[in-house]
Amino acid sequence: MSEAFKPPPFNYCDYRCDRCDKRETCRVYKDDQERLLDHYRKGEDPYDPKIFMNDLKEIFTKTEKMIHKIAQEQGIDLEGASDEEMPEVDPEEYVIYRLAYQYFKEANVLVKELEHIGIPENLQQDFDDFVWYHTLIAAKTGRLVSGFIDDYLDEDITKLEENGTIGVIRKGIDLSKQALENMLSELPDHLYTIADLTDLLRRIEKQLDVDIRQKV
């Protein structure tokens, strides 16, 4: 693989390729664009269910080979792996997840309300950011705490995963705060709701700075 492309894991990804400044060095983005181009050259619709499912099968096959390669490099015997279940994490035990999930619930109420009454055209991009990240922040926070007891990965990889996840949570917080600030100027009737949501984002941010592993 070219050194120009970032290696996995891709936990710093927020799945918004159209607005990402790392596309030029992202292997996932490059592979996906090449997949689309290949279908277009063949006169195929890459979003046709049959074609998409076939692509998905190829991706899973490729992923399986990558897993076996990494396991071999790290001396992990997948065939002889224990059937013992991995310990489960209860995300509700962690302060940071509770804050993120509370933000998601309260933000979702506002999302539905604004979708019902309509959004001013000049706020559409801010609203799109708000909608996108109100779910992603909670999801990525859940991913963050689930890695606290993952003893199967190399320590360096685990740290890379954790830092990447924290990075995308912070990005989501920054863009969400900016979106809410812009929305407030046009939606004064929602002052208290927006203020509460902004406060929750700041509390999540503070928890990232202070102690991501703090339990309730």
Side-chain angles (χ1 to χ4, degrees), residues 23-216:
R23 287 182 298 180
E24 297 304 315
T25 57
C26 178
R27 170 62 65 176
V28 171
Y29 177 76
K30 177 180 181 295
D31 287 349
D32 190 55
Q33 292 303 299
E34 289 180 348
R35 177 185 67 82
L36 294 175
L37 183 59
D38 184 54
H39 286 309
Y40 290 140
R41 284 172 176 165
K42 295 176 181 177
E44 299 172 342
D45 177 4
Y47 302 106
D48 178 273
K50 290 183 179 179
I51 291 176
F52 178 76
M53 290 304 296
N54 187 61
D55 285 347
L56 203 58
K57 182 179 179 181
E58 291 181 3
I59 290 171
F60 284 151
T61 300
K62 182 178 179 181
T63 301
E64 183 179 11
K65 290 179 179 178
M66 289 174 60
I67 291 173
H68 280 278
K69 183 174 183 292
I70 293 172
Q72 185 177 22
E73 290 173 351
Q74 296 194 17
I76 300 173
D77 181 12
L78 294 178
E79 299 299 327
S82 171
D83 291 332
E84 180 182 351
E85 292 187 6
M86 293 178 61
E88 293 185 2
V89 173
D90 179 5
E92 291 286 344
E93 292 182 352
Y94 295 91
V95 173
I96 193 167
Y97 180 77
R98 287 202 176 192
L99 288 171
Y101 189 66
Q102 182 65 27
Y103 172 76
F104 162 72
K105 289 193 297 182
E106 294 187 18
N108 193 249
V109 172
L110 181 59
V111 167
K112 291 180 178 179
E113 183 177 348
L114 294 179
E115 285 178 337
H116 178 70
I117 65 177
I119 303 296
E121 186 176 345
N122 63 318
L123 284 182
Q124 191 60 56
Q125 182 170 313
D126 291 307
F127 182 67
D128 289 345
D129 283 344
F130 174 57
V131 172
W132 186 267
Y133 289 107
H134 92 283
T135 57
L136 193 68
I137 289 171
K140 286 292 184 178
T141 303
R143 174 64 188 89
L144 176 67
V145 301
S146 72
F148 291 164
I149 60 170
D150 193 344
D151 297 325
Y152 291 85
L153 292 177
D154 176 88
E155 184 177 344
D156 291 338
I157 294 179
T158 299
K159 193 62 179 176
L160 185 61
E161 285 262 357
E162 185 174 288
N163 289 340
T165 304
I166 290 173
V168 80
I169 293 171
R170 288 189 185 278
K171 178 180 179 180
I173 290 173
D174 289 341
L175 289 174
S176 297
K177 286 195 299 185
Q178 184 61 57
L180 287 168
E181 181 179 337
N182 294 339
M183 289 164 60
L184 180 59
S185 63
E186 297 285 340
L187 304 169
D189 290 345
H190 296 84
L191 168 64
Y192 294 111
T193 299
I194 291 176
D196 286 344
L197 290 172
T198 301
D199 181 63
L200 274 170
L201 288 172
R202 288 178 179 144
R203 290 170 65 189
I204 298 169
E205 202 168 28
K206 182 178 180 181
Q207 198 65 38
L208 287 172
D209 294 333
V210 176
D211 185 4
I212 59 175
R213 289 173 171 77
Q214 181 182 351
K215 291 191 175 184
V216 178

